[in-house]
């Protein structure tokens, strides 16, 4: 694809991240004490750890910081920033390797991040942390293995863990939960696999492990978990040492798994659930973004999905096609809407939906740039999305395209 | 649109169209309003058309609720009638707008409590009159119009009709009070522009911004808001029930 396809969106800036344009699943905005706006970006894989991009002028962004991973058999796919503390997830490729877990950095001087502490979850059955959430300055909620957690299935290793970082130099575990039956020794039977795959691959689908945990300071007693093939969970975390299930919803099977994000829209009694596409060429189609009626949080009812362009058109363009993640309404310098959903859809680019009528979501804007140079696939692979409080959209390509900065004309 | 556009900026015939309720396409309501051969109705379950002749819209204003004579016969008390109005107002709000619904609950509780609190004053004013009960005054409360969309004038829109959205609107003493519940999100550029335009140009519009937490327990925490919606009976001589019978031609 050589042309940009767009509707009601305009590219106002682009940054190739100094040639390391593979963007992972982490973007977070810091407003520094001197008023600069720094977008912190996680990378899809080595050699880079994380990048800091000054987007004070989004039309003229500048990389001001780019750090190296300790070795090449790991990645830091996810990060979050709250105030001047940056939390970075470390996931290793081989069980038992280190560093695995997360590291906290002081980024008050964003050009020179200083390590505050490392919380290790390394262990014989742990790959460390794939994804984390840190928006209140007090707790890191993460999907990670643990030194003392032995999964029955090797891909069910990353469980929900709550880490108290109120003393950032000494993080301590506050609580944990896992899908019943996935731990060696559980009373519950192991979950029935959705689409069984060979067990020698640690990465990928066929997994009952956590992906995203979303917790909002306005509702601190609730956690919203995307548990991959296990679907969506609402958890009561009023006692963080003992998270309990409020409700559970899963479209798998017949749908092909990989729940990624569960985002509540509190004022509307709705929840947005994304199922991530994980295979190229639409081999796992359809990967949908669901709209759930959650007015009764104990009885989640799917009422619609966000419409996607035709699979006949996009399925064979190359790379992944389908849902991935959405802008998550996090606190801070962040766009907040319960009517407009902005999502990253791999080769279908960035798409903006009006869900005022949640029974009939409508795509009101999109931006699909050409496939970037040096990518593994011929198309754009929009992998991550962040929208700031001025409705400027920041999005990242998974393989090489770097950072795309857009305005919405809606 | 007909030959007489609904334009709140018109010098000769300023009228403000407010489409309200859980309506997906306000332009369709507009088409119905202007396409009506007998001329637009001032108030229906989907719109209010206000001009200088309509200084107030109250629960007693005709048009927003339909109550058949049979239904009315089955409603023995003002409380029952008020419950019917309450249900109709709740029904006009989207089931997926929880703050708007909570506001409406708080407002209706508030006006009911106001009448109760002023019972002595209202009974004294009745001076032995037995035609109505004190509680009938609750129908003089201003009618809330949830999900209010105010038609912008041709000067703004030019082509297709456009509307400025607010959470709730009231027509009160010649003013239009629009309530916006804070914390519901970042308005996108077009929504903000339309709101800004109507706030800057409408001659009788007043914006009240409320925090969600200010009406949590069925009442209003803010004294300014309480006073804004209180004493709705002032200036009226008699209370009137909702959906008064059409006596034209009788």
């Amino acid at each position: 694809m050589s042309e940009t396809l767009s509707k009601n969106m305009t590219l106002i800036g682009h940054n190739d991240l100094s040639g390391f344009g593979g963007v992972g699943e982490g973007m977070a905005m810091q407003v520094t004490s001197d008023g600069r706006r720094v977008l912190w970006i996680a990378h899809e894989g080595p050699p880079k750890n994380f990048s800091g991009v000054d987007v004070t002028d989004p039309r003229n962004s500048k990389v001001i910081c780019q750090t190296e991973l300790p070795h090449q058999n790991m990645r830091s796919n996810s990060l979050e920033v709250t105030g001047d503390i940056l939390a970075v997830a470390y996931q290793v490729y081989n069980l038992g390797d280190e560093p695995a877990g997360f590291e906290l950095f002081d980024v008050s001087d964003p050009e020179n991040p200083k390590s505050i502490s490392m919380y290790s979850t390394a262990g014989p059955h742990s790959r460390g942390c794939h994804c984390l959430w840190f928006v209140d300055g007090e707790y890191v909620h993460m999907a990670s293995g643990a030194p003392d957690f032995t999964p029955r299935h090797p891909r069910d290793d990353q469980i929900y863990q709550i880490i108290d970082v109120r003393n950032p130099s000494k993080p301590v575990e506050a609580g944990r939960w896992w899908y019943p039956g996935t731990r060696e020794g559980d009373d519950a039977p192991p979950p029935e696999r959705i689409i069984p795959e060979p067990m020698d691959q640690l990465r990928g689908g066929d997994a009952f492990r956590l992906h995203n945990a979303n917790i909002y300071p306005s509702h601190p007693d609730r956690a919203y978990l995307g548990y991959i093939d296990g679907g969506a969970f609402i958890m009561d975390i009023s006692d963080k040492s003992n998270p309990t299930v409020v409700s559970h919803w899963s479209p798998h099977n017949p749908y092909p798994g990989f729940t990624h994000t569960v985002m509540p829209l509190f004022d509307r009694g709705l929840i947005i659930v994304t199922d991530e596409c994980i295979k190229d060429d639409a081999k796992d189609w359809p990967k949908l973004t669901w709209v759930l009626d959650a007015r009764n949080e104990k009885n989640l009812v799917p009422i619609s999905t966000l419409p996607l362009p035709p699979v006949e058109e996009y399925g064979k363009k190359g790379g992944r096609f389908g849902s991935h993640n959405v802008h998550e309404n996090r606190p801070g310098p962040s766009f907040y809407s319960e009517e407009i959903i902005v999502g990253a859809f791999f080769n279908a680019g960035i798409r903006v939906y009006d869900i005022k009528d949640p029974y009939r979501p409508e795509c009101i804007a999109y931006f699909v740039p050409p496939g970037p140079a040096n990518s593994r696939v011929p198309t754009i692979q929009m992998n991550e999305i962040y929208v700031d409080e001025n409705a400027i959209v920041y999005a990242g390509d998974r393989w090489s395209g770097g950072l795309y900065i857009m305005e919405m004309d809606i | 649109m007909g030959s007489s556009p609904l334009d709140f900026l018109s010098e000769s015939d300023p009228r403000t169209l407010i489409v309200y309720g859980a309506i997906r396409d306000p332009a369709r309501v507009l088409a119905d309003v202007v396409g009506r051969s007998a001329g637009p109705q001032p108030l229906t379950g989907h719109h209010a058309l206000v001009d200088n002749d309509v200084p107030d819209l109250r629960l007693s204003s005709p048009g927003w609720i339909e109550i058949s004579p049979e239904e009315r016969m089955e409603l023995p008390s003002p409380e029952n009638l008020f419950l019917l109005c309450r249900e109709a107002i709740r029904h006009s709000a989207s089931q997926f707008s929880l703050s708007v619904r909570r506001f409406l609950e708080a407002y209706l509780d508030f006006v009911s409590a106001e009448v109760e609190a002023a019972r002595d004053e209202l009974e004294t004013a009745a001076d032995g009159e037995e035609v109505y009960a004190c509680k009938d005054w609750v129908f003089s409360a201003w009618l809330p119009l949830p999900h209010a969309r105010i038609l912008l004038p041709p000067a703004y829109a030019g082509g297709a009709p456009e509307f400025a959205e607010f959470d709730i609107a009231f027509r009160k003493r010649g003013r239009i009070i629009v309530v916006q519940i804070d914390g519901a999100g970042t308005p996108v550029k077009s929504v903000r522009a339309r709101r800004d335009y109507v706030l800057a140009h409408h001659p009788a519009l007043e914006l009240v911004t409320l925090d969600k937490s200010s009406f949590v327990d069925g009442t209003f925490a803010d004294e300014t808001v309480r006073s804004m919606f209180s004493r709705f009976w002032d200036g009226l001589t008699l209370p009137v029930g909702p959906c008064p019978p059409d006596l034209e031609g009788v």
Side-chain angles (χ1 to χ4, degrees):
Chain A
M1 193 161 54
S2 56
E3 286 180 40
T4 293
L5 304 174
S6 68
K7 174 186 174 185
N8 294 333
M9 292 190 87
T10 307
L11 185 72
I12 61 169
H14 178 251
N15 194 305
D16 70 359
L17 304 180
S18 306
F20 297 95
V23 174
E25 297 177 297
M27 275 189 190
M29 176 92 62
Q30 174 197 18
V31 179
T32 63
S33 58
D34 59 2
R36 287 184 293 165
R37 298 167 69 83
V38 178
L39 187 70
W40 294 98
I41 298 176
H43 287 269
E44 174 68 15
K48 297 300 177 189
N49 189 351
F50 55 85
S51 295
V53 183
D54 186 331
V55 293
T56 310
D57 175 3
R59 289 174 172 76
N60 186 25
S61 62
K62 298 181 190 74
V63 175
I64 59 169
C65 169
Q66 199 161 56
T67 63
E68 303 289 325
L69 286 167
H71 59 80
Q72 303 299 296
N73 290 319
M74 65 178 294
R75 61 198 290 232
S76 50
N77 168 70
S78 171
L79 58 74
E80 291 279 10
V81 68
T82 299
D84 287 336
I85 298 181
L86 176 70
V88 181
Y90 290 150
Q91 179 177 350
V92 293
Y93 295 161
N94 302 306
L95 297 177
D97 280 0
E98 296 189 54
F102 68 84
E103 187 166 9
L104 298 180
F105 293 88
D106 175 352
V107 289
S108 54
D109 175 9
E111 280 84 357
N112 299 293
K114 292 182 182 65
S115 179
I116 300 170
S117 59
M118 171 74 204
Y119 184 82
S120 178
T121 59
H125 304 284
S126 173
R127 287 181 285 160
C129 179
H130 181 71
C131 196
L132 57 74
W133 177 261
F134 174 53
V135 303
D136 62 359
E138 297 189 345
Y139 293 93
V140 169
H141 301 260
M142 64 174 179
S144 177
D148 57 348
F149 186 86
T150 306
R152 280 177 168 154
H153 186 290
R155 282 192 297 271
D156 297 350
D157 54 340
Q158 287 162 337
I159 64 171
Y160 176 39
Q161 294 174 65
I162 308 170
I163 311 302
D164 182 344
V165 296
R166 285 175 292 184
N167 178 353
S169 61
K170 284 192 178 173
V172 291
E173 181 173 327
R176 63 168 69 178
W177 181 86
W178 61 89
Y179 194 105
T182 57
R183 188 191 67 155
E184 201 64 70
D186 275 358
D187 291 335
E192 189 176 335
R193 312 312 287 190
I194 304 298
I195 302 174
E197 293 190 0
M199 292 175 68
D200 58 344
Q201 289 290 321
L202 277 175
R203 285 186 78 160
D206 181 21
F208 285 77
R209 62 174 186 262
L210 178 65
H211 198 288
N212 272 34
N214 286 39
I215 297 87
Y216 295 84
S218 62
H219 295 72
D221 61 342
R222 287 290 181 272
Y224 296 84
L225 308 184
Y227 220 88
I228 302 200
D229 287 0
F233 283 88
I234 301 179
M235 308 295 299
D236 181 341
I237 57 166
S238 49
D239 175 1
K240 289 186 174 56
S241 67
N242 183 31
T244 55
V245 175
V246 174
S247 60
H248 172 226
W249 176 79
S250 176
H252 324 132
N253 85 49
Y255 285 86
F258 223 94
T259 298
H260 182 285
T261 301
V262 180
M263 179 173 73
L265 305 176
F266 294 110
D267 200 46
R268 304 200 63 204
L270 295 169
I271 291 179
I272 304 297
V273 177
T274 72
D275 278 355
E276 180 187 351
C277 169
I278 57 166
K279 293 182 188 293
D280 287 351
D281 303 319
K283 288 196 178 91
D284 58 353
W285 176 261
K287 284 303 180 75
L288 302 173
T289 299
W290 306 81
V291 182
L292 306 188
D293 180 339
R295 287 173 296 156
N296 176 355
E297 68 170 350
K298 293 183 176 174
N299 184 25
L300 306 177
V301 181
I303 57 173
S304 61
T305 62
L306 303 187
L308 281 169
V311 64
E312 299 83 7
E313 185 182 349
Y314 281 76
K316 302 299 180 193
K317 285 184 174 184
R320 296 177 177 185
F321 165 56
S323 297
H324 188 189
N325 47 27
V326 290
H327 172 71
E328 293 168 294
N329 279 344
R330 81 189 293 291
S334 166
F335 182 72
Y336 183 90
S337 180
E338 300 202 352
E339 295 185 339
I340 302 293
I341 303 297
V342 189
F345 292 86
F346 293 113
N347 73 8
I350 298 302
R351 306 186 87 79
V352 183
Y353 294 89
D354 181 337
I355 61 159
K356 265 195 219 84
D357 178 353
Y359 295 114
R360 295 174 61 188
E362 187 183 352
C363 182
I364 57 172
Y366 54 80
F367 182 81
V368 189
N374 303 317
S375 176
R376 295 186 191 180
V377 297
T379 58
I380 189 73
Q381 293 284 279
M382 285 303 189
N383 202 40
E384 176 63 338
I385 174 88
Y386 184 92
V387 189
D388 75 12
E389 76 279 28
N390 303 311
I392 303 292
V393 179
Y394 302 87
D397 176 63
R398 186 167 182 236
W399 295 126
S400 64
L403 173 65
Y404 297 76
I405 306 175
M406 291 149 278
E407 269 183 347
M408 295 187 281
D409 185 20
I410 60 173
Chain B
M1 211 179 282
S3 57
S4 175
L6 305 173
D7 181 353
F8 62 70
L9 292 178
S10 167
E11 289 183 10
S12 59
D13 185 18
R15 289 184 289 176
T16 303
L17 177 69
I18 306 172
V19 175
Y20 75 95
I23 300 286
R24 181 180 173 88
D25 183 5
R28 290 186 65 171
V29 177
L30 169 64
D32 289 345
V33 171
V34 298
R36 189 169 179 266
S37 57
Q41 294 170 285
L43 181 63
T44 70
H46 299 310
H47 83 270
L49 187 56
V50 298
D51 57 22
N52 293 335
D53 295 335
V54 184
D56 295 280
L57 288 176
R58 303 176 187 269
L59 298 188
S60 56
S61 297
W64 73 275
I65 185 171
E66 301 289 330
I67 304 174
S68 68
E70 293 76 20
E71 279 179 302
R72 192 178 287 276
M73 292 294 285
E74 290 172 6
L75 298 168
S77 68
E79 287 89 341
N80 293 117
L81 207 49
F82 185 60
L83 279 177
L84 190 73
C85 291
R86 187 177 191 118
E87 194 49 43
I89 290 167
R90 279 169 52 97
H91 192 69
S92 67
S94 164
Q95 57 192 333
F96 296 109
S97 295
L98 306 188
S99 286
V100 170
R101 296 177 77 85
R102 276 194 288 269
F103 173 90
L104 294 172
E105 296 286 355
Y107 174 74
L108 293 166
D109 283 348
F110 173 77
V111 296
S112 188
E114 280 288 285
V115 170
E116 196 56 39
R119 171 178 286 276
D120 290 348
E121 176 194 347
L122 293 170
E123 285 181 346
T124 304
D127 195 22
E129 182 67 61
E130 292 180 1
V131 177
Y132 63 88
C134 177
K135 287 184 176 174
D136 285 330
W137 279 108
V138 76
F139 302 111
S140 300
W142 288 288
L143 176 68
L145 305 172
H147 313 300
R149 278 145 289 184
I150 296 175
L151 177 66
L152 296 175
Y156 178 88
E162 294 199 48
F163 297 80
E165 304 167 27
F166 297 94
D167 287 331
I168 304 112
F170 294 86
R171 175 65 165 171
K172 179 196 161 191
R173 304 203 193 291
R175 310 281 296 165
I176 295 173
I177 313 293
V178 287
V179 175
Q180 199 57 30
I181 299 169
D182 212 5
T186 319
V188 297
K189 195 162 53 179
S190 58
V191 169
R192 201 168 50 234
R194 292 192 293 258
R195 273 186 200 149
D196 289 349
Y197 181 88
V198 76
L199 289 168
H201 292 86
H202 196 288
L205 201 77
E206 195 174 319
L207 173 67
V208 176
T209 303
L210 285 185
D211 190 84
K212 281 192 278 195
S213 61
S214 67
F215 49 88
V216 168
D217 296 320
T219 187
F220 297 109
D222 189 324
E223 175 54 32
T224 312
V225 177
R226 286 202 298 271
S227 62
M228 177 176 293
F229 296 125
S230 68
R231 301 200 63 81
F232 39 84
W233 53 82
D234 281 354
L236 300 176
T237 50
L238 283 174
V240 179
C243 192
D246 182 1
L247 299 178
E248 268 185 40
V250 172

